[in-house]
Amino acid sequence: MNKSKVVVITGASSGIGEATAKLLAKDGSKLVLGARRENRLKDIAESIEKLGGEAAYQSTDVTDDDQVESLAKLAIDKFGRIDVWLNNAGIMPQSILSEKKITDWNNMIDINIKGTLYGIGAAIPYMDKQKSGHIINVSSVAGHTAHQGSAVYSATKFAVRAISESLRQEMVDAKNNVRVTVISPGAINTELLSSVTDPDVKANMEKFYESFGIPVDRVALTIKEAIDMPADAAWNEVIIRPTNQLV
Ligand SMILES: NC(=O)c1ccc[n+]([C@@H]2O[C@H](COP(=O)([O-])OP(=O)(O)OC[C@H]3O[C@@H](n4cnc5c(N)ncnc54)[C@H](OP(=O)(O)O)[C@@H]3O)[C@@H](O)[C@H]2O)c1
């Protein structure tokens, strides 16, 4: 891979974002890390330097467009370009619709959908100028199918896929060589279940993840493969699911 790639990651303070940052650091990538927990980002940035990469970080709430724009500016100020933007920040407070958990609905829409849109909006002007770039959006198996309790989470992850396909076509039209990839993980052991607010749903999901969840580095490897693909080809859609996960 091009060892000097500049990669911006939202939701970089744990789970998939953290694992991807650390894996890419081993190749000498320059990482720009955003999430709300700045102390975590600081520790991860220090690990990245030890692994041979370079890192910058900034407290970023992806529901605030100004903060997302500022993360993009940090990448430009520090490293001069943005080669990859990974829209990874997300939460999964699932519950049945009749519970009417409006705060959870709004948070999922704001973080999972609007956060992704703000990331795209922040990155594209720089990629347009460069005439190259790669936007990677994290959807989910729940972005391919819905079930009881997953309505709003699935809706946000279906939305990520719809946004990504529109973006892909718009980038082709713009002739700016910007690649678009959607990564849809299945059950991956991260801190994601801490965002579930309904205790019964959480208990059920914990059981499911204990049975089927796989280590987070599987997704990091998938993202790295997508980045390493020659620039004239793109993995547009990837599902990375535990071998033994049925749905
Ligand atoms: N784990 C799975 O089984 C699985 C399956 C399918 C899809 N996914 C998707 O994978 C992505 C990463 O999740 P994960 O599994 O790695 O869980 P995680 O360990 O909980 O990571 C989620 C990340 O999102 C960040 N985040 C949450 N709200 C944010 C906000 N308002 N602004 C900025 N960052 C925010 C968190 O950081 P702060 O709290 O520090 O802000 C954290 O770094 C999510 O989009 C999730 O939907 C996960």
Side-chain angles (χ1 to χ4, degrees), residues 37-159:
R37 290 169 293 178
E38 199 173 0
N39 56 336
R40 291 264 197 128
L41 296 179
K42 182 173 180 285
D43 291 347
I44 294 164
E46 282 168 12
S47 308
I48 284 171
E49 306 275 346
K50 284 185 195 139
L51 289 165
E54 286 181 65
Y57 64 91
Q58 190 162 289
S59 170
T60 309
D61 185 332
V62 296
T63 66
D64 180 339
D65 181 44
D66 288 343
Q67 293 187 33
V68 178
E69 287 284 348
S70 170
L71 186 68
K73 193 165 177 308
L74 174 68
I76 298 299
D77 290 348
K78 187 94 180 169
F79 299 123
R81 54 189 292 114
I82 299 173
D83 295 300
V84 181
W85 185 290
L86 175 60
N87 280 311
N88 166 71
I91 57 167
M92 185 182 64
Q94 297 199 15
S95 58
I96 56 169
L97 289 165
S98 55
E99 294 282 337
K100 204 177 174 192
K101 285 182 169 275
I102 291 181
T103 302
D104 285 347
W105 297 351
N106 286 337
N107 287 338
M108 279 188 277
I109 289 164
D110 287 348
I111 295 169
N112 300 0
I113 301 180
K114 291 189 193 168
T116 298
L117 288 169
Y118 296 159
I120 290 167
I124 290 303
Y126 299 110
M127 293 181 175
D128 243 344
K129 269 193 210 134
Q130 293 165 190
K131 292 274 173 267
S132 71
H134 194 169
I135 306 271
I136 304 178
N137 296 327
V138 179
S139 176
S140 171
V141 165
H144 292 255
T145 183
H147 54 78
Q148 293 173 49
S150 83
V152 180
Y153 181 67
S154 284
T156 65
K157 295 301 188 177
F158 271 79

